[in-house]
Amino acid sequence: MITVVWFKRDLRVTDHAPLHDAARRGPVLPVYLFEPDLIAQADSSPRHLGFIQECLAELEARLAALGSPLQRWQGTAVEVLQALRDRLGPFRLSSHEETGNLASYARDRAVARWCREHGVEWQEWPSGGVVRRLHDRDAWSRLWMERMTPAPLAAPVALQPPPCPILSPLRLPPGGAPRHLAWHPDTLPDHPARQHGGRSHARQLLRHFFDQHLPDYRRGMSSPLSAGDACSRLSPYLAFGAVSVREIVHAVWRRRTELQAMPPDLRPRGELPGLKSFESRLHWHCHFIQKLESEPELECRDMHPAFAGLRDASFDANRLARWRRGETGFPLIDACMAMLRETGWINFRMRALLIAFSSYQLWQPWQKPALHLAREFLDYEPGIHYPQIQMQSGTTGINTLRIYNPVKQARDQDPDGRFVRRWLPALERLPDAWLFEPWKMPPELQRRQGLVIGRDYPEPLVDHEAAARHARDTLWRLRKEDAVRRESRAVYEKHGSRNPHREGTPRPRRPSPPTDSPQLGFDFG
């Protein structure tokens, strides 16, 4: 019987359990679906599709060399599967589990229903360290290690193709792009400054990170000036599966073994601490995806019910639009938006700053900003994105509030103003003394500098200090209520991180203080 291997966010042939299993069973038909309903979702973007197309080009070449080329299809998953059944007769379906948005979750439920109705066996394989139907969060760290310990699966030696060609109006030609797509109206176009897709780029980046940037990783990841070089930049390749988490974990372990075998005085300084930090983020990568896997509604619903609708009455379309356009009047916020718009990437600390500013200083509900950032982030990974957005917005009830001061962050992370001047040319000639608070510059000096606040650069949207006090007071007052504390314990039981060294010990009676632990995707890159 033919096995249809359905590629989703796993665009590779190495460490690919569905393909590995199908290759030993008989004929294999690899397929990738362009699903218009999913592409039209508000979190989808042309930059995502462009990156996917580049990953598919390498995947197609690899599968063709193995003997069974990838087929591209366009339509809903059920439409395509029905077309395949009409032409193939009975077949098996095999794919990785996917922790995606609510639309992909509904799609998978529809596929499962179709498979049951038509007697099609659909085998789903675990993806990374995410555990479907996890019953006890205390066991998750052990299960993650059990998933990561086996060696990554090798690519199949060869694939047996189906015995006859398959023709269908839903099938796209090799290398073909999807047709007649409808994007969300707020979607920005693709941009050539983003990273390019493909497994070869991921492998090259990993080698370069180990050889050149590992010693600088820990101290360089926070500043937008240094993070572009200090970080691995592997997150989009993980998000779309050009490389697996387990492959990178094993690369880290090999590198650590090599370093530990060296005499201590010959080890490159900073590499072992860098590896430790990097590995912890691979662990946190799966930890955050597990939250959405366990509660898919976190895409739109507050993790802690006491925070539901807290900011809804304060929604301000103008504030949101100015935040999106990078016209808040706070130079670091606006420079980050400019870089993100141009490249599809910004480092963790600045991502946290963007959503925190929207949530606390602007006091906006997190859902619409989350969708905007999802479209902008090339490395958008739903399972990381929505739990992280909620964590940075203060709606989890179990994480410390991090209300960033946008002026202090600018001085700390961009002390010479190089980042702001690069991305905000209007402020390029401003003296250092006024660069991060240009609204305080005297009118006469503004005229001499040729920059008038309110005309050439926006006035600040809010008094950021007063707004931060209001947000802090409101949220802490709510968090101190007994009913809110009780619900926080329930949230922690379901979603809270666990120290792996505490496995088997009694659970704490109240949520432990969280660590500021970024992970690949939302806050790593």
Side-chain angles (χ1 to χ4, degrees), residues 5 26 46 124 141 174 288 299 327 336 340 342 365 375 412-413 427 438 453 468 476 486 492 517 520:
V5 176
E124 292 186 276
S141 289
F288 271 83
E299 177 184 337
E327 298 173 359
C336 287
L340 183 58
E342 182 81 6
R375 293 189 293 269
D412 290 348
Q413 306 300 338
L427 305 183
I453 300 303
W476 277 117
R486 286 194 297 272
Y492 176 79
S517 301
L520 288 158

Coordinates of all heavy atoms in Angstrom, one line a residue, residues 5 26 46 124 141 174 288 299 327 336 340 342 365 375 412-413 427 438 453 468 476 486 492 517 520:
V5 N 3.1 10.7 2.6 CA 3.8 11.5 3.7 C 3.4 12.9 3.5 O 3.8 13.6 2.5 CB 5.3 11.2 3.6 CG1 6.0 12.1 4.7 CG2 5.6 9.7 3.8
G26 N 7.2 0.6 1.7 CA 6.8 0.4 0.3 C 6.8 1.7 -0.4 O 7.5 2.7 -0.1
P46 N 3.2 36.8 3.5 CA 4.0 36.5 2.3 C 5.4 36.1 2.6 O 6.1 35.3 1.9 CB 3.9 37.7 1.4 CG 2.6 38.4 1.8 CD 2.5 38.1 3.3
E124 N 0.2 9.8 13.1 CA 0.9 11.0 13.5 C 2.1 10.7 14.4 O 1.9 10.0 15.4 CB 0.0 12.0 14.1 CG -1.1 12.5 13.2 CD -1.9 13.6 13.9 OE1 -2.8 13.3 14.6 OE2 -1.6 14.8 13.7
S141 N 10.0 17.4 31.7 CA 11.4 17.5 31.5 C 12.0 16.1 31.2 O 12.9 16.0 30.3 CB 12.1 18.2 32.7 OG 11.8 19.5 32.7
P174 N 5.9 20.9 -10.5 CA 7.1 21.0 -9.6 C 7.6 22.4 -9.5 O 7.7 23.1 -10.5 CB 8.1 20.1 -10.4 CG 7.2 19.2 -11.2 CD 6.0 19.9 -11.6
F288 N 7.6 26.0 25.7 CA 6.5 27.0 25.4 C 5.5 26.4 24.4 O 4.3 26.6 24.5 CB 7.1 28.3 24.9 CG 7.4 29.2 26.0 CD1 8.6 29.1 26.7 CD2 6.5 30.2 26.4 CE1 8.9 30.0 27.8 CE2 6.8 31.1 27.4 CZ 7.9 31.0 28.1
E299 N -4.3 30.9 22.0 CA -4.1 31.8 20.8 C -5.0 33.1 21.0 O -4.6 34.2 20.5 CB -4.5 31.1 19.5 CG -4.4 32.0 18.3 CD -4.9 31.2 17.0 OE1 -4.8 30.0 17.0 OE2 -5.3 31.9 16.1
E327 N 5.5 54.7 15.0 CA 5.4 56.1 15.2 C 4.9 56.4 16.6 O 4.0 57.2 16.8 CB 4.3 56.6 14.2 CG 4.8 56.4 12.7 CD 3.7 56.7 11.7 OE1 2.6 57.1 12.1 OE2 4.0 56.6 10.5
C336 N 13.0 49.5 16.5 CA 12.7 48.1 16.5 C 11.7 47.7 15.4 O 11.8 46.7 14.7 CB 12.3 47.6 17.8 SG 13.7 47.6 19.0
L340 N 12.2 45.3 12.2 CA 11.4 44.2 12.0 C 10.6 44.2 10.7 O 10.5 43.2 10.0 CB 10.4 44.1 13.2 CG 9.4 42.9 13.3 CD1 10.2 41.6 13.3 CD2 8.5 43.1 14.5
E342 N 11.6 45.6 8.0 CA 12.6 45.4 6.9 C 13.1 44.0 6.8 O 13.3 43.5 5.7 CB 13.8 46.4 7.1 CG 14.8 46.4 6.1 CD 14.4 47.2 4.8 OE1 13.4 47.9 4.9 OE2 15.2 47.1 3.8
P365 N -5.2 45.5 24.6 CA -5.3 44.0 24.6 C -4.2 43.4 23.7 O -3.9 44.0 22.7 CB -6.7 43.8 24.0 CG -7.4 45.1 24.1 CD -6.4 46.2 24.0
R375 N 2.6 38.1 11.9 CA 2.8 38.4 10.4 C 4.2 38.9 10.2 O 4.8 38.6 9.1 CB 1.8 39.4 9.9 CG 0.4 38.9 9.9 CD -0.6 39.8 9.2 NE -0.7 41.1 9.9 CZ -1.6 41.4 10.8 NH1 -2.5 40.4 11.1 NH2 -1.7 42.6 11.3
D412 N 20.5 51.5 27.9 CA 21.3 50.3 28.3 C 21.7 49.5 27.0 O 22.8 49.0 27.0 CB 20.4 49.4 29.1 CG 20.2 50.0 30.5 OD1 20.9 51.0 30.9 OD2 19.3 49.5 31.2
Q413 N 20.8 49.4 26.1 CA 21.1 48.5 24.9 C 21.7 49.2 23.7 O 22.2 48.5 22.8 CB 19.8 47.8 24.5 CG 19.1 47.0 25.7 CD 20.0 46.0 26.3 OE1 20.9 45.4 25.7 NE2 19.6 45.6 27.6
L427 N 16.3 61.0 12.9 CA 17.0 61.3 14.2 C 18.5 61.2 14.0 O 19.2 61.4 15.0 CB 16.5 60.4 15.3 CG 15.0 60.4 15.6 CD1 14.7 59.5 16.8 CD2 14.4 61.7 15.8
P438 N 13.6 62.8 22.5 CA 13.6 64.0 21.7 C 12.6 65.0 22.0 O 12.7 66.2 21.7 CB 13.5 63.4 20.3 CG 12.8 62.1 20.4 CD 13.3 61.6 21.8
I453 N 9.6 68.2 16.7 CA 8.9 67.1 17.2 C 7.4 67.4 17.0 O 6.9 68.5 17.3 CB 9.2 66.9 18.7 CG1 10.6 66.6 18.9 CG2 8.3 65.8 19.3 CD1 11.1 65.4 18.2
A468 N 3.1 53.3 33.0 CA 3.7 52.1 33.6 C 3.2 52.0 35.1 O 2.9 50.9 35.5 CB 5.2 52.2 33.6
W476 N -0.9 44.3 39.9 CA -0.6 43.8 41.2 C -1.8 43.8 42.1 O -1.9 42.8 43.0 CB 0.6 44.5 41.8 CG 1.9 44.1 41.3 CD1 2.8 44.8 40.5 CD2 2.5 42.8 41.4 NE1 3.9 44.0 40.2 CE2 3.7 42.8 40.7 CE3 2.1 41.6 42.0 CZ2 4.6 41.7 40.7 CZ3 2.9 40.5 41.9 CH2 4.1 40.5 41.3
R486 N -5.6 31.6 43.9 CA -6.0 30.2 43.8 C -5.9 29.8 42.3 O -5.4 28.7 42.0 CB -7.4 30.0 44.4 CG -7.4 30.1 45.9 CD -8.7 29.5 46.4 NE -9.8 30.3 46.0 CZ -10.3 31.4 46.7 NH1 -9.7 31.8 47.8 NH2 -11.4 32.0 46.3
Y492 N -0.4 27.3 37.1 CA 1.0 26.8 37.3 C 1.0 25.2 37.1 O 1.9 24.7 36.5 CB 1.5 27.1 38.6 CG 2.9 26.5 38.9 CD1 4.0 27.1 38.3 CD2 3.0 25.4 39.7 CE1 5.3 26.5 38.5 CE2 4.2 24.8 39.9 CZ 5.4 25.4 39.3 OH 6.6 24.8 39.5
S517 N 14.0 33.1 30.9 CA 14.6 32.1 30.0 C 14.1 32.2 28.6 O 13.0 31.6 28.3 CB 14.4 30.7 30.6 OG 14.9 30.6 31.9
L520 N 14.1 29.6 21.5 CA 14.2 29.7 20.1 C 12.8 30.1 19.6 O 11.8 29.5 19.9 CB 14.7 28.5 19.4 CG 16.1 28.1 19.6 CD1 16.4 26.7 19.4 CD2 17.0 28.9 18.7

